[in-house]
C-alpha cells in the first residue's frame, strides 16, 4: 500500500525548500522529490538576500534549507519525478528510480534551466564573477569592464541594461544571431562594441575569477566581470502539462496571485516556474504563501478563486 503524504513538493530549490519548512512547521507529512540539478545549485554566490551581506552560494542555501526542513520531519529523496497523475481525491507522483508516491496536494517548484554554452571555465565563475540576472547582480559590475556573452536581441538587451552600472561594456555575440536594427543602433550610441565571433574559452585566475575570454580565432579580450545573455531558457513544465495545469503565453504556470494555486485544484506552484522575475527572495515568498494555503486546504477550506 502506498504511503499517503499530505503534500509532495517536486523540486528542492528555494521555493520548494521554503514551502517544505513552512509545511513541516504545520506538522504535515511532507515529501520533497529533488533531482539535485536545480538552477540555484549552479550559483556560487547570491548577494541580494537579506541576512547574507557577504553573499551565499546556492548549494549552501539549499543545504541549510534541507537541514531546516528535516528538523520538522520533512522527508527528502533524490530522484526525478517523471509523471504526475490526477485522481478524484488524490494525486500520484512517479519517480524515475523509486517508483510511485501518493499525496493529497502537490507543490510544483521545478523551475527552469538556463541555456548556457558549454564553455571551458564558465561554470566556476557563475554567481562569483559571471552573472545571469541584472536585477540580482548588476551591482557587482559597477564601474568594471564587463563582457556580455550572449546572442542576438537577448544579449544586446542585457548589455544595454548594464549601462546603468558601467560604461565599459563589450557585447560578444557568441550565437552570432542577428538583432533588431534599433538595438544595434542603441548599442553603438552607448559605445558598446559588438564582436561577431564565437568564444573558445573563459579565462580565469588562480582563484577562479573571470578575467576575460579567448575567441575562436585566438584573440584574447580581457575584462573584470562577465554577464550572460542567451535566449532559450527551458521551463520545466512537463509535469504541469501532464496534469492539465494552465500555462500562460510564456509557458510559465498560471497561478492565483493570492494563493499560488494553479488551475487544477490541489496543485500549487511557485518560484521560477511561475514568475519572470527569477529572484531567490520571490521564490521564498512563493513557497511560504503556497504552503499557508496548502495547509488551509488540508484543514478543509475551499478553493479560493481570483
Amino acid at each position: 500500500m502506498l504511503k499517503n503524504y499530505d503534500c509532495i513538493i517536486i523540486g528542492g530549490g528555494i521555493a520548494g525548500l521554503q514551502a517544505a519548512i513552512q509545511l513541516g512547521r504545520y506538522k504535515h507529512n511532507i515529501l520533497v522529490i529533488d533531482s539535485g540539478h536545480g538552477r540555484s545549485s549552479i550559483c556560487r554566490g547570491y548577494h541580494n538576500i537579506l541576512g547574507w551581506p557577504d553573499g551565499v552560494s546556492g548549494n549552501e542555501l539549499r543545504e541549510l534549507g534541507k537541514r531546516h526542513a528535516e528538523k520538522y520531519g520533512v522527508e527528502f529523496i533524490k530522484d526525478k519525478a517523471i509523471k504526475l497523475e490526477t485522481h478524484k481525491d488524490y494525486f500520484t507522483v512517479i519517480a524515475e528510480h523509486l517508483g510511485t508516491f501518493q499525496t493529497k496536494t502537490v507543490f510544483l517548484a521545478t523551475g527552469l534551466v538556463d541555456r548556457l554554452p558549454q564553455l571551458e571555465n564558465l561554470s566556476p565563475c557563475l554567481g562569483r564573477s559571471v552573472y545571469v540576472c541584472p536585477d540580482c547582480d548588476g551591482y557587482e559590475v559597477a564601474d568594471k569592464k564587463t563582457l556580455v556573452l550572449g546572442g542576438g536581441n537577448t544579449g544586446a538587451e542585457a548589455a544595454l541594461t548594464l549601462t546603468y552600472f558601467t560604461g565599459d561594456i563589450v557585447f560578444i555575440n557568441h550565437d552570432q544571431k542577428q538583432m533588431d536594427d534599433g538595438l544595434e543602433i542603441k548599442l553603438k550610441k552607448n559605445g558598446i562594441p559588438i564582436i561577431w565571433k564565437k568564444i573558445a574559452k573563459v579565462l580565469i585566475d588562480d582563484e577562479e575569477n573571470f578575467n576575460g575570454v579567448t575567441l575562436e580565432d585566438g584573440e584574447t579580450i580581457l575584462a573584470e566581470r562577465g554577464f550572460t545573455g542567451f535566449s532559450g531558457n527551458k521551463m520545466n513544465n512537463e509535469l504541469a502539462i501532464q496534469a492539465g495545469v494552465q500555462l500562460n503565453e510564456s509557458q510559465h504556470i498560471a497561478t492565483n496571485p493570492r494563493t499560488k494555486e494553479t488551475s487544477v485544484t490541489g496543485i500549487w506552484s511557485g518560484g521560477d516556474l511561475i514568475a519572470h522575475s527569477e529572484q531567490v527572495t520571490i521564490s521564498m515568498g512563493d513557497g511560504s504563501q503556497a504552503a499557508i494555503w496548502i495547509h488551509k486546504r488540508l484543514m478543509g477550506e475551499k478553493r479560493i478563486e481570483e
Side-chain angles (χ1 to χ4, degrees), residues 171-188:
F171 171 35
I172 302 177
N173 193 355
H174 174 78
D175 282 349
Q176 301 188 20
K177 292 182 178 179
Q178 293 298 318
M179 65 195 79
D180 294 343
D181 291 341
L183 286 175
E184 193 163 355
I185 290 169
K186 287 180 180 178
L187 289 171
K188 289 178 180 177

Side-chain angles (χ1 to χ4, degrees), residues 227-283:
F227 243 97
T228 63
F230 294 95
S231 61
N233 288 352
K234 177 185 174 295
M235 301 302 304
N236 294 324
N237 56 17
E238 295 85 358
L239 295 174
I241 292 170
Q242 288 177 15
V245 168
Q246 180 183 346
L247 306 180
N248 62 23
E249 65 281 355
S250 61
Q251 301 304 297
H252 289 75
I253 291 179
T255 61
N256 183 308
R258 182 181 176 191
T259 67
K260 303 302 176 184
E261 191 169 15
T262 71
S263 60
V264 175
T265 298
I267 299 179
W268 281 258
S269 188
D272 291 347
L273 199 54
I274 74 170
H276 281 288
S277 60
E278 299 173 13
Q279 294 279 321
V280 166
T281 49
I282 291 174
S283 293

Side-chain angles (χ1 to χ4, degrees), residues 2-3 7 9 13 28 32 59 75-76 83 107 112 120 145 172-173 178 190 195 198 204 214 219 254 278 304 306:
L2 295 179
K3 184 175 180 179
C7 183
I9 297 169
H28 290 302
V32 178
N59 281 329
E75 297 178 39
F76 285 80
K83 195 166 186 180
F107 180 61
L112 60 81
E120 183 181 348
K145 182 172 182 180
I172 302 177
N173 193 355
Q178 293 298 318
N190 281 275
I195 297 177
K198 288 187 173 294
I204 57 175
T214 298
E219 180 184 359
E278 299 173 13
I304 301 293
E306 292 185 39

Side-chain angles (χ1 to χ4, degrees), residues 157-169 186-187 190 192:
E157 289 166 354
L160 290 167
T161 298
L162 292 172
T163 59
Y164 179 83
F165 296 99
T166 179
D168 195 354
I169 300 171
K186 287 180 180 178
L187 289 171
N190 281 275
I192 301 173

Side-chain angles (χ1 to χ4, degrees), residues 131 133-143 162 164-166 227:
Y131 309 99
C133 173
D135 294 310
C136 300
D137 294 311
Y139 177 87
E140 305 301 322
V141 307
D143 303 319
L162 292 172
Y164 179 83
F165 296 99
T166 179
F227 243 97

Side-chain angles (χ1 to χ4, degrees), residues 25-300:
R25 287 175 61 84
Y26 284 129
K27 299 185 177 182
H28 290 302
N29 187 19
I30 307 301
L31 173 67
V32 178
I33 301 176
D34 181 41
S35 66
H37 299 295
R39 191 186 199 204
S40 56
S41 65
I42 68 171
C43 182
R44 300 318 196 263
Y46 291 109
H47 301 278
N48 65 336
I49 303 175
L50 177 68
W52 298 94
D54 297 319
V56 59
S57 74
N59 281 329
E60 182 179 0
L61 200 58
R62 287 164 68 102
E63 179 58 30
L64 289 168
K66 182 174 181 287
R67 283 164 46 192
H68 194 167
E70 286 175 334
K71 282 179 57 178
Y72 304 117
V74 175
E75 297 178 39
F76 285 80
I77 62 168
K78 186 173 182 180
D79 205 342
K80 181 179 180 181
I82 57 173
K83 195 166 186 180
L84 172 58
E85 298 176 335
T86 60
H87 305 274
K88 183 178 179 181
D89 298 313
Y90 65 95
F91 303 90
T92 52
V93 179
I94 300 176
E96 188 172 26
H97 301 293
L98 297 175
T100 303
F101 302 87
Q102 185 172 310
T103 181
K104 299 172 185 174
T105 62
V106 173
F107 180 61
L108 291 174
T110 46
L112 60 81
V113 177
D114 292 285
R115 188 180 77 81
L116 296 173
Q118 297 297 310
L119 296 175
E120 183 181 348
N121 297 329
L122 176 59
S123 179
C125 298
L126 291 172
R128 296 178 65 235
S129 50
V130 176
Y131 309 99
V132 301
C133 173
D135 294 310
C136 300
D137 294 311
Y139 177 87
E140 305 301 322
V141 307
D143 303 319
K144 292 180 171 61
K145 182 172 182 180
T146 301
L147 303 185
V148 174
L149 323 177
N153 289 345
T154 302
E157 289 166 354
L160 290 167
T161 298
L162 292 172
T163 59
Y164 179 83
F165 296 99
T166 179
D168 195 354
I169 300 171
V170 176
F171 171 35
I172 302 177
N173 193 355
H174 174 78
D175 282 349
Q176 301 188 20
K177 292 182 178 179
Q178 293 298 318
M179 65 195 79
D180 294 343
D181 291 341
L183 286 175
E184 193 163 355
I185 290 169
K186 287 180 180 178
L187 289 171
K188 289 178 180 177
K189 282 184 176 179
N190 281 275
I192 301 173
I194 308 168
I195 297 177
W196 295 78
K197 297 178 184 178
K198 288 187 173 294
I199 300 163
K201 70 175 182 178
V202 170
L203 302 175
I204 57 175
D205 62 19
D206 292 340
E207 297 180 351
E208 297 187 325
N209 293 309
F210 180 80
N211 274 357
V213 299
T214 298
L215 302 177
E216 61 180 350
D217 63 0
E219 180 184 359
T220 293
I221 302 177
L222 300 179
E224 299 168 274
R225 295 288 187 270
F227 243 97
T228 63
F230 294 95
S231 61
N233 288 352
K234 177 185 174 295
M235 301 302 304
N236 294 324
N237 56 17
E238 295 85 358
L239 295 174
I241 292 170
Q242 288 177 15
V245 168
Q246 180 183 346
L247 306 180
N248 62 23
E249 65 281 355
S250 61
Q251 301 304 297
H252 289 75
I253 291 179
T255 61
N256 183 308
R258 182 181 176 191
T259 67
K260 303 302 176 184
E261 191 169 15
T262 71
S263 60
V264 175
T265 298
I267 299 179
W268 281 258
S269 188
D272 291 347
L273 199 54
I274 74 170
H276 281 288
S277 60
E278 299 173 13
Q279 294 279 321
V280 166
T281 49
I282 291 174
S283 293
M284 288 180 178
D286 288 345
S288 288
Q289 190 172 357
I292 289 167
W293 289 93
I294 290 169
H295 170 68
K296 290 177 183 291
R297 182 64 49 76
L298 292 169
M299 295 296 98

